[in-house]
């Protein structure tokens, strides 16, 4: 039996919510909580984070379970992006195998408003198939990983927005890059769309405020949005806000401290 005064929270990060959670958890719980945020290590210059930071994959669910044991993690909050589809099931499995409490912090999704013209699709491949029927100049705002799906699309010019410049040319016939990190403002998004004669937007249904401005601009300009649906996450415990996540930490902090794993 080991009794430690200070609990250790692991935040699986890579989102604004994870960054805010780390900052607020340290402010609220102070010395009672040790906070480590884990980043996949994809972004070249991630925003500064409060608390400890580790970078890079764990090596699947087994690697994550080993990390949880060796680092004596008491609780995990999966605050990864809604479209991060591998780390979330890995967290579920690793936490189940190590009996570490797990919470999903998932920002609420967006809902269409009057004037929106959203075409919802299940994947980037499906979006690529439909795209030429919707427009000739697409604002592609889905990140780097799934751009390959659009490689075979002809007769569409792409304006691609990424956080980091790509290491190699993109596999697209005709494109130009915008390198920028959110949050974005509706007016500025509208200017991009007008300046580039955008006639279709391709977006992930990520939710959150930082990237919602493009949807407002598309609504104002009556531009259709090809919206990639969110993949399912299966966590049992889930909340939609940092405040609720802080309440969960408070409850976990009241549980008796534990038996060595
Ligand atoms: P993913 O497909 O779920 O993860 C791929 C692999 O990257 C995982 O198997 C894991 O490697 C590693 N990984 C992912 N998130 C990690 C984390 N927070 N800490 C340590 N390792 C992590 O995720 P993704 O879609 O590539 O996204 C990678 C990161 O970027 C995530 O942290 C996510 O929050 C952030 N992000 C993603 C998107 C998006 O659209 N997908 C957008 C914005 C931010 P091992 O198997 O080796 O453990």
């Amino acid at each position: 039996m080991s009794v430690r005064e200070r609990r250790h929270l692991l935040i699986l990060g890579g989102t604004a919510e994870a960054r805010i959670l780390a900052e607020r958890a340290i402010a609220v719980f102070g010395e009672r909580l040790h906070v480590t945020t884990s980043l996949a290590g994809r972004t070249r210059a991630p925003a500064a984070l409060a608390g400890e930071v580790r970078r890079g994959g764990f090596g699947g669910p087994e690697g994550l379970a080993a990390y949880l044991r060796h680092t004596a993690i008491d609780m995990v909050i999966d605050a990864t992006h809604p479209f991060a589809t591998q780390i979330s099931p890995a967290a579920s499995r690793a936490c189940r195998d190590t009996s570490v409490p797990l919470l999903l912090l998932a920002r609420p999704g967006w809902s269409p408003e009057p004037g929106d013209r959203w075409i919802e699709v299940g994947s980037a491949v499906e979006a690529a198939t439909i795209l030429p029927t919707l427009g000739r100049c697409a604002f592609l705002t889905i990140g780097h990983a799934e751009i390959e799906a659009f490689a075979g699309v002809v007769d569409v010019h792409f304006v691609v927005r990424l956080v980091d410049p790509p290491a190699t040319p993109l596999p697209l016939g005709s494109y130009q890059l915008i390198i920028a990190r959110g949050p974005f403002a509706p007016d500025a998004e509208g200017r991009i769309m007008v300046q580039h004669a955008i006639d279709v937007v391709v977006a992930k249904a990520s939710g959150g405020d930082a990237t919602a401005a493009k949807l407002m601009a598309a609504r104002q300009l009556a531009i259709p949005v090809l919206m990639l649906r969110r993949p399912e996450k299966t966590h049992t415990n889930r909340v939609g806000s940092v405040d609720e996540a802080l309440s969960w930490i408070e409850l976990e902090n009241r549980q008796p401290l534990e038996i060595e794993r």
Side-chain angles (χ1 to χ4, degrees):
M1 187 86 99
S2 82
V3 177
R4 290 169 285 118
E5 287 298 313
R6 213 173 173 214
R7 309 272 172 130
H8 194 172
L9 167 69
L10 174 68
I11 300 172
L12 298 171
T15 57
E17 291 76 20
R19 179 175 47 75
I20 295 164
L21 177 63
E23 191 180 310
R24 297 224 14 231
I26 287 168
V28 170
F29 298 104
E31 283 304 303
R32 289 159 61 206
L33 193 70
H34 178 181
V35 177
T36 299
T37 300
S38 175
L39 300 175
R42 306 270 163 78
T43 306
R44 280 174 215 169
L49 285 161
E52 197 175 317
V53 180
R54 69 162 297 287
R55 286 189 176 77
F58 296 97
E62 297 81 9
L64 178 52
Y67 174 87
L68 298 179
R69 287 194 190 95
H70 295 150
T71 322
I73 297 292
D74 296 297
M75 56 190 118
V76 176
I77 297 185
D78 176 359
T80 57
H81 190 270
F83 280 79
T85 52
Q86 291 182 50
I87 189 71
S88 290
S92 292
R93 216 176 107 192
C95 287
R96 188 197 60 210
D97 292 352
T98 53
S99 303
V100 172
L102 170 67
L103 180 75
L104 176 70
L105 167 56
R107 61 177 86 139
W110 295 311
S111 301
E113 292 185 17
D116 278 330
R117 192 175 148 217
W118 293 3
I119 300 96
E120 293 191 33
V121 290
S123 67
V125 171
E126 202 183 326
T129 309
I130 298 173
L131 185 61
T133 67
L134 292 170
R136 288 285 165 265
C137 187
F139 190 20
L140 196 57
T141 63
I142 60 166
H144 187 266
E146 288 171 285
I147 287 178
E148 181 70 42
F150 296 85
V153 176
V154 289
D155 295 337
V156 175
H157 177 72
F158 291 91
V159 177
V160 183
R161 181 162 63 201
L162 297 172
V163 173
D164 288 317
T168 54
L170 299 178
L172 300 173
S174 168
Y175 73 92
Q176 65 199 99
L177 283 170
I178 297 177
I179 304 300
R181 184 198 297 263
F184 303 106
D187 286 355
E189 296 292 67
R191 277 196 294 278
I192 290 175
M193 292 180 198
V194 170
Q195 187 189 335
H196 294 277
I198 298 292
D199 54 9
V200 56
V201 174
V202 186
K204 285 175 165 174
S206 304
D209 296 335
T211 56
K214 64 184 169 225
L215 305 177
M216 297 176 206
R219 186 183 310 136
Q220 274 165 10
L221 296 166
I223 295 172
V225 178
L226 252 178
M227 184 74 82
L228 273 63
R229 265 184 233 109
R230 274 186 186 198
E232 270 300 306
K233 297 205 181 188
T234 58
H235 302 52
T236 313
N237 299 318
R238 48 176 69 209
V239 294
S241 69
V242 168
D243 281 345
E244 292 168 293
L246 292 169
S247 302
W248 181 82
I249 297 170
E250 178 65 55
L251 284 174
E252 286 302 323
N253 266 347
R254 288 195 207 140
Q255 300 299 318
L257 254 182
E258 123 96 79
I259 326 144
E260 263 177 29
R261 288 185 288 270

